[in-house]
Amino acid sequence: MQKLFPGKLYHLKEKNTFVSWTCKTCKPAPFVDVNGVEGDQMFPYSNGVATRLLANIDYADSKGNQFKILAFNHSVHDEDGLQTGRFSGGLLGLAKFAKNGNVWEMKSFQPGVAAFGAFAQCPTPKLLQIGEDQFAFTISHINGGAGGPYEGYLYLVAGFDGKYQPIMEVNEYQLTNVASIKWTGSYKVVDDAAKKHFRDIIVKTNGSYNKDAKAEDEFEATLPVEIAEMAKTKKQFDFEIERRFSFKGKFYKMIDKPTVKFSNVK
C-alpha cells in the first residue's frame, strides 16, 4: 500500500492504520459519491489523503490462474484518524495483481472508482462471478439521516470500457431504523450458459410490515410500490419482492415486472 501511495504511515489505537499522502503534481478529478448530497468528490483531496486497506481478495479462474485484489478506502486526512461526514462516502480504489510463479505482478491500478457508504467509510466489496472467468464486486451502501430510515442500495462494480465502474444500482435493497417496516436484500447470478459475460442478476427483498408499530416511527418510510396497496388494507404481513436485472449496453437494467409474494397476512 505504501508503494502505491507513498506517505506517512499512522498506527493509531483501535486498529486505525492508514497512510497519509499528498500529490502536489496531481490534478484533482471528480468522482461520483453515490450519496448524492454533497456532489462529486474531487480526488486527490487538496488537504491530503488518508488511505486505508479495505479488503484483500484472492480468487482464481477456471484455468487455475491466481489473482489478488487490494481494495482501498480514501478519506480526507485527519491527524486524529477521524472519518467524518454523514453523507460523505469513502472513495474506493482498486489494484489487481496476477501470480506469475512466485511473484505477484500488478495488472491494473485504479486509485479512485466511486465513493460509497457514510462517514467516509466505504463498505467492504464482495467478490461476485458474473460470467465465464469474469469477476465483479458488490457493495451494500446504506445511509440515512439521524433518527430516520436508513435506506440501502446494492451496487455492482466491474471492469468495463477499460476501467472499474459501477454498472448496477438497485434501490430498496435494505431498510432499517423504522419500527413499522423493515427489509433486507439478497442476490444471485443466473446460471445461464448462453451468456458468457454479464449474466442476469436476481435481487430478492424480504421484509415485514406492521401498521400498529407506526406510532413508534419518528419519520415515515416510503413503501415499495409492490406492497403499498396491501399496506392500505392490512395491518400486518411479510413479503418477498423479486426483481431481475439484465445488462443492457453499459448498465444493468430491470427487466420484466417484479414479482411479489405475501405471507402471514392479518
Side-chain angles (χ1 to χ4, degrees):
M1 184 169 74
Q2 286 183 277
K3 288 184 178 295
L4 296 175
F5 305 102
K8 181 179 178 181
L9 182 64
Y10 284 78
H11 284 295
L12 304 183
K13 62 181 181 179
E14 298 178 353
K15 298 182 179 180
N16 192 352
T17 298
F18 59 93
V19 170
S20 174
W21 58 276
T22 57
C23 181
K24 296 181 180 179
T25 60
C26 294
K27 183 178 180 180
F31 290 85
V32 171
D33 189 322
V34 301
N35 286 287
V37 175
E38 300 175 2
D40 293 342
Q41 293 193 15
M42 298 300 295
F43 176 81
Y45 312 118
S46 58
N47 293 329
V49 183
T51 297
R52 294 167 169 84
L53 181 62
L54 186 61
N56 183 347
I57 302 170
D58 290 285
Y59 66 98
D61 65 15
S62 61
K63 300 179 182 65
N65 298 311
Q66 297 181 55
F67 301 94
K68 183 186 293 288
I69 295 284
L70 297 184
F72 305 99
N73 184 96
H74 304 297
S75 58
V76 176
H77 167 71
D78 185 286
E79 290 185 357
D80 295 324
L82 299 177
Q83 292 170 275
T84 60
R86 161 71 73 177
F87 293 103
S88 178
L91 184 64
L92 175 68
L94 296 171
K96 180 180 179 179
F97 298 82
K99 194 170 186 180
N100 185 1
N102 295 322
V103 177
W104 287 97
E105 297 179 345
M106 188 165 69
K107 295 298 182 181
S108 65
F109 177 41
Q110 191 171 333
V113 177
F116 306 89
F119 296 107
Q121 299 175 38
C122 179
T124 302
K126 296 183 178 180
L127 188 71
L128 182 68
Q129 186 170 356
I130 61 172
E132 184 179 315
D133 290 335
Q134 182 189 24
F135 295 85
F137 307 95
T138 58
I139 293 177
S140 181
H141 164 87
I142 187 166
N143 206 348
Y150 288 2
E151 299 175 303
Y153 290 73
L154 176 69
Y155 287 91
L156 184 71
V157 173
F160 184 71
D161 278 349
K163 64 179 182 179
Y164 285 104
Q165 56 183 300
I167 61 171
M168 185 176 77
E169 178 188 72
V170 180
N171 64 349
E172 296 176 348
Y173 185 69
Q174 288 179 286
L175 186 79
T176 61
N177 209 38
V178 181
S180 60
I181 187 167
K182 61 182 178 181
W183 62 76
T184 58
S186 62
Y187 55 86
K188 70 174 183 179
V189 176
V190 178
D191 188 8
D192 183 0
K195 286 192 175 183
K196 188 174 181 180
H197 297 113
F198 299 107
R199 290 173 178 154
D200 290 2
I201 298 174
I202 292 177
V203 178
K204 289 185 178 181
T205 301
N206 292 87
S208 60
Y209 173 77
N210 188 327
K211 183 176 290 187
D212 292 340
K214 291 185 71 172
E216 303 174 31
D217 293 337
E218 186 175 351
F219 297 92
E220 187 171 351
T222 301
L223 303 183
V225 65
E226 292 84 5
I227 69 167
E229 287 301 317
M230 180 70 80
K232 292 179 180 179
T233 58
K234 303 298 181 181
K235 289 186 176 182
Q236 185 176 330
F237 56 84
D238 297 332
F239 61 91
E240 178 183 274
I241 302 170
E242 181 176 302
R243 291 173 283 175
R244 183 168 181 144
F245 293 81
S246 187
F247 192 70
K248 303 292 184 182
K250 296 185 177 181
F251 210 73
Y252 273 88
K253 297 181 180 180
M254 187 173 68
I255 60 173
D256 305 324
K257 289 185 178 181
T259 61
V260 58
K261 298 177 182 178
F262 294 100
S263 59
N264 300 320
V265 180
K266 296 180 182 179

